[in-house]
């Protein structure tokens, strides 16, 4: 069973890249999001359900791999995938918005402003995932603001 959790936690092995694995995972998630949803209605709830499932799998797998790899190991990149997905939920699926979501998400994930860093102290997979969830929420809020002001 631990092999499955390692596969999930590393987003099908992307986490084994090493340095930059989180950015690669977020970029791959953005590309897959665009290819799968281009031209669809941003109000579609299918992507929300998939995002929630990936987030819950990330919490579970993050908790399961922690005894083997330690707290929030760099190989665990499912959190970047979930955060990226959150950043573009209910946003028009265009190259510009997806790229903006990726840039904003990585900014918030790397810099960790506005109390994002504090969420990493939460236990197990929740702590692994929560900083990226919050970074995704902040990114999405900014994108929504831009969309509604234009």
């Amino acid at each position: 069973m631990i092999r499955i959790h390692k596969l999930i936690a590393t987003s099908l092995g992307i986490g084994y890249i090493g340095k930059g694995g989180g950015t690669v995972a977020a970029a791959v998630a953005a590309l897959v999001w665009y290819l799968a949803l281009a031209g669809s209605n941003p109000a579609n709830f299918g992507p929300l359900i998939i995002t929630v499932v990936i987030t819950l799998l990330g919490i579970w797998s993050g908790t399961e791999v922690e005894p083997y790899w330690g707290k929030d190991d760099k190989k665990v990149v499912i959190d970047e995938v979930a955060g990226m997905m959150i950043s573009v939920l209910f946003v028009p699926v265009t190259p510009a918005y997806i790229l903006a979501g990726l840039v904003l998400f990585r900014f918030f994930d790397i810099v960790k402003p506005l109390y994002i860093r504090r969420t990493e102290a939460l236990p197990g997979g929740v702590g692994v995932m929560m900083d990226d969830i919050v970074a995704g929420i902040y990114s999405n809020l900014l994108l929504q603001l831009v969309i509604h002001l234009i």
Side-chain angles (χ1 to χ4, degrees), residues 23-97:
T23 299
V24 172
V28 168
L31 179 62
V32 169
W33 189 273
Y34 177 76
L35 294 174
L37 299 173
S40 67
N41 180 354
N44 182 352
F45 283 96
L48 174 63
I49 293 166
I50 293 167
T51 301
V52 168
V53 168
I54 287 176
T55 301
L56 293 174
L57 281 172
I59 291 169
W60 183 26
S61 292
T63 300
E64 294 298 316
V65 301
E66 192 173 290
Y68 298 91
W69 291 342
K71 179 74 173 161
D72 204 0
D73 187 84
K74 66 181 178 180
K75 290 186 289 291
V76 178
V77 295
I78 190 69
D79 50 339
E80 276 81 11
V81 171
M84 179 62 215
M85 294 172 73
I86 291 167
S87 74
V88 292
L89 273 174
F90 306 116
V91 170
V93 184
T94 67
Y97 282 126

Side-chain angles (χ1 to χ4, degrees), residues 98-111:
I98 300 301
L99 182 59
L102 176 62
V103 170
L104 286 169
F105 169 67
R106 290 308 291 153
F107 168 77
F108 284 116
D109 187 31
I110 292 167
V111 176

